[in-house]
Amino acid sequence: MFSDDEIIKSIKTGKTQNFEIIINRYNKKILNFINRMIFDYDESQNISQDVFLKVYENLNRYKMEGNFQAFIFKIAKNLTLNYIKKRKRVLFFSERFSSDIEGKYFRYEATQYKSIDDKVKKELLISSIMELKENQRIALILKIYLDFSYKKISKITDWSIPKIETLISRAKKSLKNKIFLQENKDKNVYKVREK
Amino acid sequence: MKCNRVKLLLSSFQDNELNEKERAEIFLHLKKCEKCKHEFEQLETLKKEIKNLNDIEPIQNFTSLVMDKINRKKRFNIFSIPSLVYSFTFILFFILGFLINGPLKNNVENKQKEIYVSNLLMQGQELSLINVQDKTFNILYNGDLNEK
């Protein structure tokens, strides 16, 4: 299997079709990274296409340092943040639209719940992730979903390692409080009903 | 290591970002302290649940869609440097052509006409032969045409 850098080198020398290999190698990861940031199936598909277009347009900027993953995820992160900013502006001007977007968070996996309990749990997790600050969400997803090291996350985001450490720790704490507190409340409700 | 310190480092411990010494200390602490152990277990459950969120699949023709867009952009990229040079040259020639056939040409013709009329006047010929409607010609004659 050719390395990313070898493929990029061939694309730069004119073999444009080799970019297909890059797309096939990264499209699922990029798509799901974006979807975990915005939880919107259609928009995630659109943004991930834009990511690959932007990557192709900016290939000359890539310095072949064996760091193509950081390069592509940096573009994905930037485009996703642009989309989130744009969506915030739209939400600011239209409250009606806001309810549509909230509905979209859960649409992407509507048919894949194992049980109602599973559905409630996942919805709570998704809404808790969406309530995190964007920076916390980016750092958390890059770490937990993609299993990137703090060093790699630093290359993608240009944040210092201590900052990443703090962002991830706070994100986990916030999610933990929301999810386990809610679960405890639910358990108490069940206990009262049983009595 | 005390609980407060462990709680502070627990997230980095889970992410495998601590040095060997710190890792060993936290590992030992978790064996003894039920409270911190419980907190770590909650973090592990959370991690598992985030990882277990269902993945979505790229749309069926994702790759060909992107490649089509790239090829289309390559063909019609009017903002590329060669395209800009071609466009600029074309516009420059267009403007030059316009100037040569329009204002510049008229200026030369008017100059010739002025010389022609002043020659006529010097020779005392009838000015009615000249098209006085033309503004450039009007300035050359101040008297009454009918009188001549």
Side-chain angles (χ1 to χ4, degrees):
Chain A
M1 199 170 81
F2 292 106
S3 73
D4 289 343
D5 280 5
E6 283 169 330
I7 297 164
I8 302 301
K9 201 175 171 186
S10 74
I11 297 166
K12 281 184 177 179
T13 54
K15 288 179 183 165
T16 312
Q17 281 310 310
N18 285 352
F19 195 64
E20 280 185 16
I21 306 170
I22 294 289
I23 300 174
N24 292 332
R25 195 171 280 183
Y26 285 104
N27 61 0
K28 204 174 168 183
K29 275 186 181 175
I30 292 286
L31 177 69
N32 282 289
F33 163 68
I34 297 168
N35 197 43
R36 275 162 169 76
M37 286 290 296
I38 62 173
F39 290 103
D40 183 326
Y41 178 90
D42 295 330
E43 285 302 338
S44 300
Q45 298 281 0
N46 291 336
I47 298 168
S48 56
Q49 285 183 39
D50 291 344
V51 168
F52 286 102
L53 282 179
K54 191 114 188 170
V55 166
Y56 183 83
E57 284 167 7
N58 287 283
L59 273 186
N60 284 334
R61 284 192 191 174
Y62 176 60
K63 299 280 184 286
M64 309 288 235
E65 300 152 325
N67 233 333
F68 185 71
Q69 253 193 1
F71 179 76
I72 193 169
F73 276 97
K74 191 174 205 160
I75 290 177
K77 179 216 86 177
N78 289 341
L79 290 186
T80 311
L81 280 181
N82 287 349
Y83 168 76
I84 291 171
K85 274 184 201 160
K86 215 162 70 183
R87 188 170 69 178
K88 270 187 184 168
R89 276 203 295 273
V90 173
L91 290 179
F92 183 76
F93 289 110
S94 162
E95 277 188 20
R96 197 175 63 83
F97 193 46
S98 131
S99 60
D100 293 345
I101 280 179
E102 278 164 14
K104 277 183 182 179
Y105 291 168
F106 309 112
R107 210 184 70 196
Y108 87 104
E109 54 175 4
T111 55
Q112 298 171 35
Y113 296 121
K114 288 170 197 158
S115 62
I116 294 172
D117 192 39
D118 182 43
K119 183 178 186 285
V120 173
K121 258 188 181 178
K122 277 186 180 163
E123 282 186 359
L124 175 65
L125 179 63
I126 291 169
S127 60
S128 305
I129 293 174
M130 289 305 289
E131 280 166 22
L132 292 174
K133 287 176 187 165
E134 276 102 40
N135 288 357
Q136 290 182 359
R137 214 179 326 156
I138 290 168
L140 184 84
I141 292 162
L142 288 173
K143 179 68 227 173
I144 294 190
Y145 173 63
L146 291 156
D147 221 0
F148 286 167
S149 65
Y150 288 179
K151 200 175 163 191
K152 192 174 237 171
I153 297 174
S154 169
K155 276 187 181 156
I156 294 170
T157 56
D158 294 327
W159 299 329
S160 68
I161 289 178
K163 183 181 174 175
I164 292 163
E165 208 171 351
T166 312
L167 285 172
I168 294 176
S169 172
R170 285 186 184 161
K172 284 178 187 172
K173 195 177 172 188
S174 166
L175 290 180
K176 193 166 67 75
N177 287 345
K178 277 178 190 157
I179 288 162
F180 294 109
L181 206 74
Q182 190 61 40
E183 274 189 1
N184 287 340
K185 274 184 193 170
D186 291 345
K187 273 178 193 168
N188 289 337
V189 170
Y190 290 135
K191 276 179 191 170
V192 171
R193 278 182 190 163
E194 278 167 11
K195 280 177 186 173
Chain B
M1 204 180 265
K2 288 185 176 171
C3 286
N4 281 349
R5 178 84 182 134
V6 171
K7 275 180 187 171
L8 213 65
L9 295 176
L10 214 50
S11 167
S12 303
F13 173 77
Q14 183 189 31
D15 293 340
N16 223 349
E17 296 278 346
L18 295 179
N19 61 42
E20 278 304 310
K21 193 182 165 221
E22 285 170 324
R23 275 191 70 77
E25 281 182 48
I26 291 179
F27 196 74
L28 279 175
H29 182 90
L30 292 181
K31 278 196 163 181
K32 291 183 283 182
C33 176
E34 276 302 312
K35 213 176 164 191
C36 288
K37 191 184 164 193
H38 177 67
E39 197 150 321
F40 182 67
E41 280 168 356
Q42 283 188 333
L43 283 182
E44 284 290 281
T45 311
L46 186 71
K47 185 179 174 178
K48 211 173 100 189
E49 284 184 10
I50 295 173
K51 272 189 175 284
N52 280 348
L53 280 173
N54 298 326
D55 273 350
I56 56 172
E57 291 295 326
I59 46 174
Q60 237 181 6
N61 48 354
F62 186 93
T63 306
S64 55
L65 261 173
V66 177
M67 288 309 288
D68 281 352
K69 281 183 187 173
I70 286 172
N71 290 328
R72 234 179 297 146
K73 270 206 167 182
K74 246 173 73 184
R75 246 178 281 149
F76 298 106
N77 191 3
I78 55 161
F79 295 111
S80 66
I81 290 171
S83 301
L84 282 175
V85 171
Y86 294 143
S87 313
F88 182 73
T89 316
F90 177 77
I91 292 167
L92 194 74
F93 274 106
F94 181 79
I95 293 169
L96 274 175
F98 174 76
L99 287 172
I100 289 165
N101 282 312
L104 287 179
K105 191 180 176 188
N106 284 345
N107 262 355
V108 174
E109 280 177 0
N110 287 342
K111 277 270 185 260
Q112 286 170 347
K113 281 174 191 172
E114 277 172 28
I115 293 162
Y116 174 68
V117 172
S118 58
N119 282 342
L120 286 178
L121 286 168
M122 279 166 70
Q123 289 163 17
Q125 286 193 23
E126 287 274 337
L127 272 177
S128 56
L129 292 169
I130 305 162
N131 181 10
V132 288
Q133 295 298 318
D134 193 328
K135 284 176 189 171
T136 53
F137 281 35
N138 281 340
I139 54 161
L140 297 168
Y141 181 71
N142 295 322
D144 188 347
L145 274 176
N146 292 332
E147 281 176 10
K148 290 226 170 184

